[in-house]
Amino acid sequence: GDAAPERLTVSARRSLRGAPVGAANLSTWSEELLVTLHRKVWLMSHLGTTEVCSGRAAADVIAGYPMGYEDIATLPLLIGEAGGRVTDLEGNDVLTGTGHVLATNGHVHDEMLDLLRGLPYGMREMPPD
């Protein structure tokens, strides 16, 4: 519209319990990952990194089928400019990591990494086309 642009900012939420969390590629997630997160957060497949940037989600998890570099290359800039943090699911640089993504408001990032530690991210076999 005609309104001046507004800077997006992440949420101030500091607790994961019941937090809205985006979930991408759910059909390829391991059962352990799905159950662990489902017990702690409010998983919603329609939320994503845009909702993290705008404060509508505390985090976004992209797991299961790994993403390509071209899919995640912009995330450090977008999430970082909004005040958040992005890594792979092990806490490493997302651009050189596993192709899995954890984007958060920054406040819950370490708690999410602790929750994810040691969990398998994807199913052993990919579903047929």
Side-chain angles (χ1 to χ4, degrees):
D2 295 331
E6 294 179 34
R7 177 177 282 281
L8 294 178
T9 57
V10 295
S11 76
R13 186 180 192 107
R14 296 186 178 279
S15 171
L16 276 182
R17 175 73 52 205
V21 172
N25 302 332
L26 273 172
S27 66
T28 64
W29 283 24
S30 72
E31 183 176 348
E32 296 91 336
L33 177 63
L34 184 59
V35 169
T36 298
L37 287 179
H38 179 69
R39 287 179 177 158
K40 182 87 172 188
V41 301
W42 184 18
L43 284 177
M44 293 186 271
S45 62
H46 66 281
L47 297 179
T49 53
T50 304
E51 284 75 22
V52 174
C53 289
S54 64
R56 290 189 293 268
D60 184 36
V61 176
I62 303 173
Y65 188 74
M67 304 299 285
Y69 180 86
E70 67 279 2
D71 297 317
I72 58 178
T74 61
L75 295 181
L77 175 64
L78 297 173
I79 299 292
E81 283 293 315
R85 182 174 166 198
V86 62
T87 65
D88 71 6
L89 297 182
E90 297 170 3
N92 302 311
D93 179 358
V94 72
L95 299 181
T96 58
T98 61
H100 302 111
V101 178
L102 174 60
T104 72
N105 65 2
H107 305 296
V108 299
H109 203 89
D110 290 334
E111 187 179 358
M112 280 291 288
L113 288 173
D114 288 343
L115 190 61
L116 297 170
R117 190 165 287 114
L119 294 174
Y121 304 135
M123 295 173 17
R124 287 178 178 54
E125 296 179 20
M126 295 300 297
D129 290 339

